[in-house]
Amino acid sequence: MLPVYTLSSGPNVLLAFHGIGQDYACFEPLAAALDGQYTVYAFDLFFHGDNESAIGEETLTKAAWKRLITDFLLQHGIDRFSVAGFSMGGKFALATAESFTDQLDELWLIAPDGITTSPFYTLATRTAVGRALFRYFLRHMPLFHRVGQILSRLKLVDRSTLRFAESTLSSPGQRERVYKSWTYFRDLRFNIDQLAQTLNQSSVQVRFFLGYFDRVLPKSFVHPLTRRLHAYEMRVLRTGHHRLIEKVAESFRSQRPLQHRHQP
C-alpha cells in the first residue's frame, strides 16, 4: 500500500498524485482551498517522500497500479471519487482514470505528463542501451550539462526545461530518484485515441490546469488529448511549472469560474 495522507475533508473524494521530486505535501495548498468540498487523499509515489521502494516488478505495470488503487478504495470504503495529477503524477491520474472510469467523477490534469512523451524520455528508458546511457550521464553531470547547453543552443531543448532538469538532478540522491522513477514508470503509457474515446463515452468531467509560462510541460503537450475530447474545462494560469499547484489553489479560493469550456 502506498503512503497516503488525508489533507482535507468534504463530501467528495479526490485522490492526488504529485510530481517528480515532490511528496504528498505539495497538495496542502490545494487541499486547504478545497476543504469542506473534497476529502483530499495525497499519496507518496514510489521513491518519493516516505515511500522508498517499489513493489517487486522490474517496472510498474498498469495492472499492478490498478490493484493498489483497488485495495485503497476497498480499505476506505470509497465508491465514487475524482483524481488529480501534477506533472509526473499526471501519468498516475491517467492510469487511474483508464482503469476506474465507471467510478470516476472528475479528472484533474495539472500540467500533466503522460499525454505527450518526450523523445529524450523514450531514448532514456525504452531500451537497455538507452538506460545505460541515461545512467552514465547522471553519473557524469558536467557532461550532462555540456550536452544540455548544446541542445539548448540548437533549440532542441528549452532553457527553462534544462534549468528544471538540472534542479531536479542537483544531488546524488535526486539523480538516483529520477533514474529509478523514469525507468520504473516507463510502462505507464497510453493510447490517446482509446483514452479519449473512453472519456467521451463516460460522464467524467475532465479539467486541465496549465501554466501560461510553463516550458517544462507547456499547454501544447495536452493537445493530443484535448483535440480528441468532446468536452473539457481548462484554466491557464499566469505562472510557470513550479508554482502551478499554488496558483490552482488561489484560483479556487478566489471562486473564479472555470475558463475555456470547450464543447465542439
Side-chain angles (χ1 to χ4, degrees), residues 135-241:
R135 172 70 85 181
Y136 180 84
F137 275 108
L138 292 180
R139 289 176 174 172
H140 299 82
M141 287 304 293
L143 177 60
F144 178 92
H145 177 75
R146 288 197 299 272
V147 172
Q149 291 294 326
I150 293 170
L151 294 174
S152 177
R153 285 195 293 271
L154 294 173
K155 302 193 181 302
L156 297 175
V157 172
D158 186 87
R159 289 184 182 276
S160 297
T161 303
L162 181 60
R163 287 195 296 270
F164 174 79
E166 292 184 337
S167 70
T168 59
L169 299 170
S170 59
S171 72
Q174 287 175 306
R175 293 193 283 274
E176 184 66 16
R177 178 171 56 208
V178 168
Y179 179 81
K180 287 180 177 178
S181 298
W182 273 35
T183 56
Y184 186 58
F185 303 151
R186 66 182 184 268
D187 285 339
L188 294 183
R189 294 178 291 161
F190 306 94
N191 182 313
I192 299 301
D193 282 326
Q194 290 181 4
L195 178 62
Q197 183 177 7
T198 298
L199 291 171
N200 286 334
Q201 294 173 349
S202 75
S203 60
V204 177
Q205 183 179 18
V206 184
R207 295 179 169 185
F208 294 92
F209 301 88
L210 307 170
Y212 184 82
F213 302 108
D214 191 345
R215 297 295 178 267
V216 178
L217 290 165
K219 182 180 177 181
S220 61
F221 277 31
V222 306
H223 288 171
L225 180 56
T226 57
R227 67 171 176 252
R228 291 169 169 82
L229 293 176
H230 294 165
Y232 61 90
E233 295 177 348
M234 183 182 289
R235 278 182 181 168
V236 180
L237 303 170
R238 295 188 67 81
T239 186
H241 193 72

Side-chain angles (χ1 to χ4, degrees), residues 1-2 7 23 30 34 51 66 81 94 99 105 118 128 135 142 163 168 173 231-232 234 243:
M1 182 65 68
L2 295 169
L7 301 185
D23 61 17
L30 181 58
L34 297 175
N51 190 2
K66 183 177 182 179
F81 66 99
L94 291 169
S99 293
D105 294 321
S118 161
R135 172 70 85 181
R163 287 195 296 270
T168 59
Y232 61 90
M234 183 182 289
R243 297 194 60 206

Side-chain angles (χ1 to χ4, degrees), residues 86-133:
F86 169 63
S87 196
M88 177 189 74
K91 289 186 175 185
F92 294 87
L94 291 169
T96 305
E98 191 176 73
S99 293
F100 297 91
T101 313
D102 292 342
Q103 294 176 254
L104 206 65
D105 294 321
E106 297 172 278
L107 171 61
W108 296 14
L109 297 170
I110 308 171
D113 195 6
I115 297 173
T116 296
T117 302
S118 161
F120 298 105
Y121 180 83
T122 301
L123 175 66
T125 62
R126 294 310 303 168
T127 67
V129 172
R131 292 191 291 274
L133 284 171

